[in-house]
């Protein structure tokens, strides 16, 4: 793969809106990605393997629990810093950002928000340091966009619960030490359970043959009469709103992350357009190529502004779920379109692993599907503005 010469586009001087701390956090993540991710990522994506050696680096840049309070091992940062870290990691690879998103927003967040003090103290420091990796089991083979239909269930056996069912498409599953699993009790109410590797009847087979997110490990969670200690139930929130609340935090991070992937594709295509000569000129001198680049930087700038504003609202606890859906949907769609156009600008070279664009393009096919598909987020906006529910 070519050396990482990335220079971040900032067409509207958005750096002026960031605090010194934001810039420090962002620059540390950017330098780490250049040093520890870019040189190895293509190889791991080709091998379809998650590079476990980067886990400690992710912890060091604060990617595991950026906004979780320091008393639990988190970085205690604000929501814009969290977003900037996700942006920089996804600039390297969406699969690596997935691992960080799941760990922070889908595992640490529910333990912090819905867990008790004993659970927080037991799990959060280990997850923040990367000693343990977690995963989040909501999706099932027959229930993806409609998680409320889930059939995974647990029965109260007096001194313990008995868990049965299966989850599918679970990021980090093949090596996670703990899974936050959403399951129904005997009345049909959804609860979160902490299921640890090694519990009898709990297995996590890996999902193979993915063309997307190849550097991220995906798997199933299978529960065959798993005995769950009662103290492993998250006590402070139940119902579908509990897992959906975690998704708000992860979708927010993805909105930032997608900008990172788009910036990398744009920056690569811009550099290539000045170097690649055809018809005696750099291809960047042709109007059709300039149109592509001009539209890319316009869309990136719009997404940066949208997401920065969302970050301010998040910091003020004012961001709504529908606002987050709009940003996730817009930014991932923006990134996937930019990846496709940037790929074309590189001609044949664009399909090779010499450049990051094709990998980003394939990765974004997962990003546009997980955490709520493109169409589901449109319907969430539709419901918000009309008050009419397309899901019922
Ligand atoms: P609905 O009746 O609308 O809502 C049920 C309850 O939930 C509340 N709620 C929310 N709460 C917090 N945050 C949100 N975003 C919320 N959205 C809804 C709602 O108020 C209600 O509460 P209550 O108290 O009245 O019961 O639910 P529905 O069954 O009609 O479904 C709505 C729909 C389709 C929008 C929702 O289910 C949905 O978002 N579906 C998409 C599923 C999804 O995003 N799955 C993601 C799985 S995890 C994943 O993909 C990880 S990828 C990780 C990576 O690698 O990065
Ligand atoms: P379906 O729900 O079957 O949707 C199929 C199509 O129908 C989509 O285009 C959808 O938009 C459309 N559709 C569905 N309902 C409607 C409707 N009402 N109106 C209009 N169109 C509709 N899940 C987890 O729980 N944890 C994870 O860690 C996780 N990681 C993932 C990693 C990867 C690589 C992938 C690909 C997925 C992951 N997921 C995870 C699952 C992901 O969240 C689901 O794939 C996603 O929610 C969509 O569900 P589905 O695949 O079952 O598609």
């Amino acid at each position: 793969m070519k050396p990482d010469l990335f220079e971040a586009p900032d067409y509207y001087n958005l750096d002026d809106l960031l605090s010194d701390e934001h810039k420090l956090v962002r620059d540390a993540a950017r330098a780490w990605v250049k040093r520890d991710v870019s040189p190895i990522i293509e190889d791991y994506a080709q091998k379809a393997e998650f590079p476990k050696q980067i886990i400690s680096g992710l912890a060091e840049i604060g990617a595991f629990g950026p906004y979780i309070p320091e008393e639990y091992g988190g970085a205690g940062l604000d929501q814009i810093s969290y977003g900037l870290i996700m942006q920089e990691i996804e600039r390297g690879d969406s699969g690596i950002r997935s691992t960080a998103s799941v760990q922070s927003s889908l595992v640490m967040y529910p333990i912090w928000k819905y867990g008790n003090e004993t659970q927080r103290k037991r799990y959060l420091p280990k997850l923040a340091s990367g000693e343990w990796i977690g995963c989040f089991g909501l999706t099932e083979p027959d229930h993806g966009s409609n998680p409320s239909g889930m059939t995974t269930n647990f029965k109260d056996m007096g001194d313990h619960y008995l868990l049965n069912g299966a989850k599918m498409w679970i990021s980090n599953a093949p090596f996670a030490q703990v899974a936050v699993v959403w399951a129904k009790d005997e009345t049909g109410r959804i609860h979160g359970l902490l299921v640890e590797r090694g519990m009898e009847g709990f297995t996590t087979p890996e999902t193979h043959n993915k063309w997307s997110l190849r550097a991220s490990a995906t798997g199933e969670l299978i529960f065959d009469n798993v005995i769950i200690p009662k103290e492993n139930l998250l006590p402070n929130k139940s119902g579908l709103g509990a897992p959906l609340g975690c998704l708000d935090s992860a979708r927010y991070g993805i909105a930032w992350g997608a900008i990172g992937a788009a910036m990398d594709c744009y920056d690569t295509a811009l550099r290539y357009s000045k170097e690649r000569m055809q018809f005696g000129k750099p291809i960047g001198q042709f109007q059709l190529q300039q149109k592509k680049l001009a539209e890319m930087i316009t869309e990136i700038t719009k997404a940066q502004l949208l997401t920065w504003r969302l970050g301010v609202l998040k910091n003020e606890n004012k961001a709504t779920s529908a606002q987050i859906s709009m940003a996730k949907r817009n930014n991932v769609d923006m990134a996937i379109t930019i990846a496709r156009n940037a790929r074309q600008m590189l001609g044949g070279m664009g399909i090779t692993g010499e450049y990051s664009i094709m990998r980003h393009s394939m990765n974004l096919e997962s990003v546009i599907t997980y955490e709520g598909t493109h169409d589901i987020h449109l319907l969430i906006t539709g419901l918000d503005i009309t008050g009419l529910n397309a899901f019922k």
Side-chain angles (χ1 to χ4, degrees), residues 37 41 45 89-98 215 359-360 363:
V37 177
I41 192 63
I89 298 175
E90 192 147 1
R91 206 280 296 171
D93 190 82
S94 305
I96 308 301
R97 197 270 306 132
S98 270
R359 181 168 42 79
H360 282 307
N363 282 342

Side-chain angles (χ1 to χ4, degrees), residues 159-225:
D159 62 344
H160 64 270
Y161 300 121
L162 205 58
L163 177 66
N164 278 289
K167 300 288 176 178
M168 185 175 184
W169 295 117
I170 308 305
S171 301
N172 300 349
F175 53 81
Q177 281 89 356
V178 60
V180 173
V181 175
W182 300 95
K184 284 180 177 165
D185 67 14
E186 284 143 297
T187 70
R189 183 104 185 137
I190 294 171
H191 296 265
L193 296 168
L194 298 165
V195 183
E196 292 188 19
R197 183 168 297 284
M199 287 180 170
E200 210 176 322
F202 173 42
T203 48
T204 61
E206 184 157 2
T207 303
H208 295 290
N209 295 331
K210 291 181 299 164
W211 284 113
S212 173
L213 232 62
R214 288 173 64 80
S216 162
T218 313
E220 295 167 57
L221 305 177
I222 298 176
F223 315 105
D224 180 9
N225 285 322

Side-chain angles (χ1 to χ4, degrees), residues 33-69:
V33 168
K34 272 204 181 195
R35 197 190 62 224
D36 286 4
V37 177
S38 300
I40 56 127
I41 192 63
E42 179 63 29
D43 188 35
Y44 278 83
Q46 293 282 359
K47 290 192 290 194
E49 193 180 320
F50 173 74
K52 287 192 182 143
Q53 71 275 22
I54 67 167
I55 287 175
S56 58
L58 280 166
E60 274 162 32
I61 62 165
F64 293 156
Y67 56 82
I68 300 288

Side-chain angles (χ1 to χ4, degrees), residues 94-95 97-99 101-102 106 114 136-139 144-149 169-172 189 213 216 237-248 250-251 254 320-322 325 366 369-373 376-377 379-380 383 389 391-392:
S94 305
R97 197 270 306 132
S98 270
T99 291
S101 289
V102 169
L106 300 183
Y114 314 146
F136 175 89
L138 180 64
T139 305
S145 298
N146 63 330
S148 65
W169 295 117
I170 308 305
S171 301
N172 300 349
R189 183 104 185 137
L213 232 62
S216 162
K237 191 161 168 97
S238 63
L240 186 60
L244 291 180
C246 309
L247 293 183
D248 272 359
R251 291 166 176 174
I254 291 173
T320 66
S321 299
S325 280
S366 287
T369 294
Y370 66 33
E371 301 272 6
T373 68
I376 291 296
H377 287 296
L379 295 175
I380 291 172
L383 166 60
N389 193 333
F391 302 113
K392 307 283 183 202

